[in-house]
Amino acid sequence: MNTTLLDAIKWDANGLVCAIAQDWQTHRVLMVAYMNAEALQQTVETGLAHYYSRSRQKQWQKGEESGHVQKVHGLRLDCDGDAVIMLIEQVGGIACHTGRESCFYRVWDGEQWAVCDAVLKDEMAIYGKTHI
């Protein structure tokens, strides 16, 4: 493992760091997930985003089921070393498991969380199942 890459990270008690996927051209935040050291190393080595699923307790590559991979164009580390931003190209234009461009598809309108982004592809069509 690359110690220069990994030693600057302030890993949490579970060995994870917050990873933000941001479109490399529009700068829209597409999703937030977590990475362990192995995921960060694999991301750098392959040029594709890898994460660690806290719910499934396993490593995964974004798009391994959906085909909506994330090509990494750059990495940034915040001043505290506890958050990584990945500047990515979202293949297929869908980052969210709900079939939307971004996981941040709800906006507070003063009274409620209103859906502001359309579903681009139905979750059943992507995965053959729903996640919730």
Side-chain angles (χ1 to χ4, degrees):
M1 293 224 165
N2 184 330
T3 57
T4 303
L5 171 71
L6 302 176
D7 286 348
I9 306 292
K10 184 178 176 183
W11 306 99
D12 71 11
N14 297 312
L16 303 175
V17 66
C18 179
I20 301 159
Q22 183 178 31
D23 185 279
W24 73 299
Q25 292 180 318
T26 68
H27 301 288
R28 182 173 186 191
V29 174
L30 302 178
M31 60 178 272
V32 174
Y34 289 86
M35 298 174 118
N36 60 10
E38 183 181 359
L40 182 56
Q41 185 74 39
Q42 286 179 329
T43 296
V44 169
E45 288 173 1
T46 66
L48 300 173
H50 289 76
Y51 299 100
Y52 182 81
S53 171
R54 296 176 300 164
S55 60
R56 294 179 289 163
Q57 297 289 298
K58 72 171 205 162
Q59 190 90 10
W60 61 288
Q61 178 189 310
K62 176 67 175 166
E64 66 187 19
E65 288 183 45
S66 67
H68 301 136
V69 298
Q70 294 175 336
K71 295 180 181 177
V72 179
H73 288 266
L75 293 172
R76 290 179 176 250
L77 182 62
D78 81 333
C79 59
D80 296 323
D82 62 0
V84 173
I85 291 180
M86 293 185 299
L87 301 172
I88 60 103
E89 177 184 343
Q90 182 64 60
V91 175
I94 297 173
C96 186
H97 75 274
T98 65
R100 293 176 172 88
E101 175 188 15
S102 171
C103 293
F104 296 92
Y105 61 87
R106 294 178 279 192
V107 174
W108 182 251
D109 68 7
E111 296 180 21
Q112 65 181 345
W113 290 105
V115 174
C116 63
D117 291 349
V119 172
L120 301 175
K121 188 172 183 181
D122 183 77
E123 191 175 356
M124 284 295 290
I126 297 170
Y127 301 102
K129 63 181 179 181
T130 59
H131 285 80
I132 296 175

